[in-house]
């Protein structure tokens, strides 16, 4: 399993952009990079995933470094509802999600 | 399209007992995975079922077992419960198992198991 490094916690102000970094230097060439988040008292929720190029969806953007050893999840305007634990997960063959400790995102109003 | 539902939501069992947790996958999804999440930690992969066959297992002892039914719903069984089995048990469904990394998993709300 590819190892990931994420900050333990980050803090943001409401309505401001948030950049959540993840290092995954041991990622293989075919691993997709997935991001999930887990709101308090809920199961994890899919956010976004990508392979090589940057990706956008209604929830967030994913910026992937050219060497694929790191990626950044971008929330364009943080809301209180975005307060959660964010997990960066290189997805290997077999469709198994390997969760690390993630980043606790706190959003201040 | 219904989401992933798990039952029961909460459960208290005594050490040594057996427990069965249930999961209904999202409509059309043929793959179900089970995870254990201890307090303050990320979910840990237990095993995955694809079209009624186990096709991946994490570092959990054999007393953790499962089933997937023809309608793709699933059960997680834990025998000889230990105090450390107290955790949130999460079920996730997705479309296609082995080799499909370009897909997303949908999680249920989980079953909170307390072993006393």
């Amino acid at each position: 399993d590819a190892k990931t490094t994420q900050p333990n916690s980050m803090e943001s102000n409401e309505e401001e952009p948030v950049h959540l970094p993840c290092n995954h230097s041991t990622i293989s060439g075919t691993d997709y990079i997935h991001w999930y988040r887990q709101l308090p008292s809920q199961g994890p929720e899919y956010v976004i995933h990508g392979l090589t190029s940057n990706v956008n969806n209604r929830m967030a953007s994913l910026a992937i470094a050219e060497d694929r050893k790191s990626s950044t999840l971008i929330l364009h305007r943080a809301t209180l509802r975005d307060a959660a634990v964010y997990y960066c997960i290189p997805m290997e063959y077999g469709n198994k999600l390997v969760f690390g400790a993630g980043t606790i995102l706190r959003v201040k109003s | 399209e219904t989401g992933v539902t798990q039952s029961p939501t909460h459960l208290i069992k005594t050490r040594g007992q057996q427990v069965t947790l249930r999961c209904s996958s999202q409509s059309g999804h043929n793959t179900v995975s089970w995870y254990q999440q201890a307090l303050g930690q990320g979910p840990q992969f237990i095993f995955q079922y694809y079209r009624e066959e186990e096709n991946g297992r994490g570092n959990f002892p054999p007393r953790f077992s499962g089933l997937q039914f023809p309608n793709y719903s699933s059960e997680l069984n834990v025998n000889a419960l230990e105090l450390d089995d107290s955790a949130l048990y999460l079920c996730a469904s997705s479309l296609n198992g082995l080799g499909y990394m370009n897909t997303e998993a949908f999680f249920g709300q989980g079953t909170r198991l307390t072993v006393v």
Side-chain angles (χ1 to χ4, degrees), chain A residues 57-105:
Chain A
N57 67 18
R58 63 175 179 81
M59 288 181 70
S61 295
L62 177 60
I64 301 171
E66 198 169 329
D67 62 7
R68 292 191 6 103
K69 293 185 176 181
S70 65
S71 61
T72 302
L73 179 69
I74 302 164
L75 306 178
H76 295 286
R77 291 178 64 196
T79 69
L80 297 177
R81 194 196 172 277
D82 292 321
V85 180
Y86 285 79
Y87 298 99
C88 161
I89 306 171
M91 174 77 90
E92 62 180 57
Y93 184 90
N95 206 27
K96 177 180 70 175
L97 290 168
V98 179
F99 290 83
T103 297
I104 299 170
L105 175 65

Side-chain angles (χ1 to χ4, degrees), chain B residues 3 19 41 47 53-54 64 68 95 98 102 114:
Chain B
V19 69
Q41 298 183 21
F47 44 55
E53 297 284 333
E54 184 181 301
F64 285 78
Q68 187 179 31
L95 185 59
L98 285 173
N102 190 18
T114 302

